[in-house]
Amino acid sequence: MANGLNGASYGPPIKPPVKTYYSHGRRGSDVGCGICGCFSSCLLCCGGCLVNIICNILIGVLVCLGVVALILWFILRPNVVKFQVTEADLTRFEFDPRSHNLHYNISLNFSIRNPNQRLGIHYDQLEVRGYYGDQRFSAANMMSFYQGHKNTTVVGTELNGQKLVLLGAGGRRDFREDRRSGVYRIDVKLRFKLRFKFGFLNSWAVRPKIKCHLKVPLSTSSSDERFQFHPTKCHVDL
């Protein structure tokens, strides 16, 4: 067999080259997709950079505001205003269980203390509300006023008239107990707008809530002998 092939040695057969065909349309499509992908990547990159810039600006502004607020607090040292009911005179407090009408007449004096050394205070739209058994029975407005530094101001008001008050079983029981003792548990709330003043600058308005839990004797000789009204501090909720 070797002699028939003249002593030649043959390796594995060589396959013919595979022809590759290109489509010009597909090549153009690939280029377009590449451009779009690059453009989208640029938008995402720029958008991310813009978001980071905005976040950094906001953080810087918040930090600056915090530093300014801290400096102002150290300079001004604001203190909470103190409220107290110094006098309460109750001359009538009658409840008719059939008509549910409450007849009342009560005079109140409030002592308001501004303990701040550098801040004045504006009191606007003052309103006093009377409550019995969580039911509001009266409201009255008081004059607005300005209070200087380290100052105590006394303001007064009067609640009188009649009001339809729907007391439940517990409220009626409390009223009977108060009538026997001659001392009535009345809540008074103050609503107003408060603005601090430093120099010629005024702060934004806040609406604190003031609540006073009072025990007021009816102004009769029998109740006066047993119980006298004592000045009562009010709770301040900013």
Side-chain angles (χ1 to χ4, degrees):
M1 184 175 181
N3 293 332
L5 298 176
N6 298 323
S9 176
Y10 296 90
I14 301 174
K15 295 182 180 181
V18 179
K19 295 182 179 181
T20 304
Y21 298 92
Y22 297 95
S23 173
H24 295 288
R26 292 182 59 83
R27 181 181 300 175
S29 176
D30 292 341
V31 172
C33 290
I35 293 175
C36 291
C38 181
F39 184 67
S40 299
S41 299
C42 290
L43 285 179
L44 291 174
C45 179
C46 294
C49 293
L50 184 60
V51 170
N52 289 334
I53 292 173
I54 294 175
C55 289
N56 290 333
I57 292 175
L58 290 177
I59 292 174
V61 170
L62 292 176
V63 170
C64 291
L65 290 177
V67 171
V68 171
L70 186 62
I71 293 174
L72 289 177
W73 185 86
F74 275 112
I75 294 175
L76 302 178
R77 295 297 180 100
N79 293 306
V80 178
V81 183
K82 300 177 181 179
F83 291 81
Q84 187 178 31
V85 179
T86 55
E87 295 181 11
D89 184 21
L90 183 65
T91 58
R92 187 180 186 187
F93 207 74
E94 301 172 359
F95 177 72
D96 187 348
R98 293 173 296 179
S99 63
H100 303 282
N101 279 325
L102 178 67
H103 299 264
Y104 55 89
N105 190 357
I106 179 172
S107 299
L108 300 167
N109 279 342
F110 296 90
S111 172
I112 305 175
R113 174 67 178 171
N114 175 15
N116 295 286
Q117 192 170 6
R118 298 181 178 89
L119 292 174
I121 301 176
H122 290 281
Y123 300 88
D124 302 318
Q125 300 178 9
L126 278 88
E127 183 186 38
V128 182
R129 299 178 180 179
Y131 289 81
Y132 186 81
D134 293 329
Q135 298 291 319
R136 190 173 78 176
F137 64 84
S138 184
N141 295 323
M142 292 192 299
M143 294 292 294
S144 301
F145 65 95
Y146 171 77
Q147 187 178 37
H149 318 148
K150 290 285 187 179
N151 180 268
T152 300
T153 304
V154 177
V155 294
T157 189
E158 185 173 345
L159 304 175
N160 58 69
Q162 67 176 12
K163 176 71 173 179
L164 179 66
V165 178
L166 300 178
L167 296 178
R172 295 188 181 193
R173 182 175 59 252
D174 292 341
F175 183 83
R176 289 193 295 268
E177 293 177 359
D178 292 349
R179 185 171 56 185
R180 283 194 298 268
S181 65
V183 180
Y184 292 85
R185 291 164 285 185
I186 299 173
D187 292 333
V188 174
K189 296 181 181 180
L190 290 175
R191 296 288 187 272
F192 55 89
K193 290 173 61 177
L194 182 148
R195 291 178 295 126
F196 291 101
K197 181 180 180 181
F198 176 65
F200 60 89
L201 299 176
N202 290 309
S203 72
W204 58 88
V206 295
R207 290 185 176 272
K209 298 179 181 179
I210 315 299
K211 188 172 184 178
C212 316
H213 301 283
L214 308 179
K215 292 183 178 180
V216 188
L218 193 65
S219 295
T220 61
S221 58
S222 58
S223 63
D224 288 344
E225 292 174 358
R226 290 180 293 175
F227 186 87
Q228 295 288 336
F229 177 79
H230 299 285
T232 305
K233 294 182 179 179
C234 303
H235 176 71
V236 180
D237 185 8
L238 296 177

